[in-house]
Amino acid sequence: MAEKINEDKITDQQTYLNRRTFMRAAALAGTATATTLLYRRLNPPPPVPVEGEKLNDVAKAAIDGNGFTTNERLTPITDITNYNNFYEFDTTKDGVASAARGFVTQPWAVEVGGLVHKPKIFDIDELLKFPLEERVYRLRCVEGWSMVIPWIGFPLKKLLEKVEPTPQARYVAFETLLDPKRMPNQETGVLDWPYVEGLRLDEAMHPLTILATGLYDEKLPPQNGAPVRLVVPWKYGFKSIKSVVKITLVADEPPATWNIQAPHEYGFYSNVNPNVSHPRWSQATERRIGEFGRRKTLLFNGYADQVAHLYQGMDLVRNF
Ligand code: MTE
């Protein structure tokens, strides 16, 4: 797939940053750390250099201790919303935004069930009432590009706790809407529909795993998975399933779309791993959208401190 992007698009990113600075300042006022954090926010570090061995050290240090944010340069909103993978609408990256324009997401409900004590259908309005947080995450696509995205959402754990998984539940299965009238590319056989994904229960309960309902301070645009999508920052982007309608707690490893499509190319785990090449290309480097040159890809996309323990003792070459 050819990469094409307008490098010189102007964005309302500065407006967002100003508002964000204001909101953060208000929330932090009176706390001991307020002054330091506010100073950092008002005086952001210079953009990370584009090439060179030192880059990774800088980039790694840029992720905060719990992984919830990074001081790396945010990818402009025009790039985040015009360079997409969403096969239900279009198989080209620059074709998704226009194909998804007008996607109707009201009414919308997410059915959560399976091995749980309290199955429940959550209306989207109910999901939007969960306490929303901002999470600035790196997204690394399996194709070799990456972005830094300020998501709005809430930990998936909060939703799963409400339905009370039974002790038999070991995995979580996710499903995208199936409606060829609203997702026209589902008329084609380019993938098996609906798009499905899965996580191990401990991955799903990890505090970094969120359901996103917005980005920058906008409602989630159709092309990014409106009205609600999964975001798992230490895994390749395709694990972050969009426009979710069903979440099922199960005992066995659930099917995952790209794994069904090409099992030798896409494993169930799909952790970002520079040491495991895709059979047709290396995963050692990535191109940050909006920058020139390539940077080294980090194990677990830079979130090793937060998630490496989940895979202790596992052979990550076999479990790719
Ligand atoms: N979810 C659905 N339902 N359909 C898709 O085609 N593409 C995946 C993932 N989620 C996809 C999906 C892939 S390959 C990537 S890289 C990310 O979405 C891209 O997310 P973004 O367009 O918001 O950057």
Side-chain angles (χ1 to χ4, degrees):
M1 276 170 270
E3 279 187 37
K4 200 165 83 182
I5 197 139
N6 216 345
E7 304 279 1
D8 59 4
K9 278 179 190 146
I10 301 163
T11 79
D12 59 355
Q13 193 182 357
Q14 196 52 48
T15 319
Y16 160 80
L17 287 172
N18 290 342
R19 232 173 301 160
R20 190 164 77 146
T21 303
F22 174 77
M23 279 161 49
R24 285 269 165 85
L28 290 168
T31 70
T33 50
T35 322
T36 325
L37 289 178
L38 186 58
Y39 177 84
R40 251 184 53 194
R41 191 55 60 191
L42 293 170
N43 302 278
V48 177
V50 176
E51 274 182 300
E53 197 55 38
K54 277 197 193 126
L55 179 70
N56 289 317
D57 300 335
V58 179
K60 187 151 189 253
I63 287 183
D64 80 347
N66 51 23
F68 293 173
T69 193
T70 161
N71 61 4
E72 290 173 285
R73 194 155 54 101
L74 300 176
T75 302
I77 192 165
T78 42
D79 293 342
I80 296 171
T81 55
N82 286 283
Y83 192 78
N84 301 103
N85 276 326
F86 202 169
Y87 274 44
E88 285 84 341
F89 290 102
D90 200 74
T91 52
T92 68
K93 267 171 260 303
D94 55 2
V96 172
S98 57
R101 193 171 298 140
F103 177 50
V104 177
T105 56
Q106 273 289 2
W108 193 278
V110 181
E111 184 185 342
V112 190
L115 299 172
V116 299
H117 291 297
K118 297 184 172 167
K120 184 171 156 68
I121 295 173
F122 291 86
D123 189 80
I124 188 64
D125 291 334
E126 206 174 336
L127 292 184
L128 290 166
K129 284 192 194 120
F130 275 73
L132 299 178
E133 301 170 23
E134 183 188 67
R135 296 291 182 82
V136 182
Y137 284 161
R138 296 170 178 169
L139 178 144
R140 165 59 158 89
C141 181
V142 75
E143 296 163 329
W145 50 268
S146 64
M147 297 192 190
V148 178
I149 302 180
W151 300 104
I152 307 292
F154 59 89
L156 173 64
K157 180 182 196 303
K158 303 264 190 227
L159 181 83
L160 297 179
E161 281 170 353
K162 284 211 187 295
V163 295
E164 298 180 12
T166 68
Q168 289 75 37
R170 291 174 56 235
Y171 292 89
V172 186
F174 302 85
E175 223 175 281
T176 293
L177 176 73
L178 176 63
D179 185 347
K181 288 207 174 63
R182 283 148 84 192
M183 296 181 142
N185 220 34
Q186 287 180 336
E187 300 278 10
T188 74
V190 66
L191 289 177
D192 279 349
W193 310 113
Y195 193 103
V196 291
E197 257 306 339
L199 293 174
R200 230 171 44 194
L201 184 58
D202 58 347
E203 297 176 325
M205 297 294 269
H206 191 281
L208 284 176
T209 304
I210 59 165
L211 285 176
T213 55
L215 57 82
Y216 276 90
D217 47 12
E218 309 280 341
K219 261 172 58 178
L220 202 59
Q223 59 267 42
N224 295 95
V228 58
R229 59 98 54 93
L230 184 73
V231 181
V232 194
W234 71 94
K235 293 182 182 273
Y236 291 115
F238 65 86
K239 292 297 276 188
S240 294
I241 181 172
K242 297 176 169 182
S243 305
V244 172
V245 291
K246 199 166 176 189
I247 299 176
T248 313
L249 284 283
V250 294
D252 301 316
E253 191 179 286
T257 287
W258 286 102
N259 181 241
I260 298 169
Q261 197 70 13
H264 56 292
E265 297 189 6
Y266 308 104
F268 176 78
Y269 281 93
S270 306
N271 290 318
V272 174
N273 191 340
N275 307 315
V276 177
S277 294
H278 183 281
R280 289 183 280 138
W281 60 81
S282 161
Q283 294 292 11
T285 64
E286 68 202 55
R287 187 175 78 88
R288 182 64 52 87
I289 296 296
E291 292 179 356
F292 298 101
R294 295 185 75 82
R295 55 175 68 207
K296 277 191 172 178
T297 286
L298 301 175
L299 185 61
F300 299 116
N301 203 20
Y303 298 92
D305 288 350
Q306 292 79 23
V307 302
H309 68 276
L310 298 176
Y311 309 102
Q312 230 159 29
M314 277 178 71
D315 178 350
L316 294 179
V317 174
R318 206 164 56 83
N319 297 287
F320 65 101

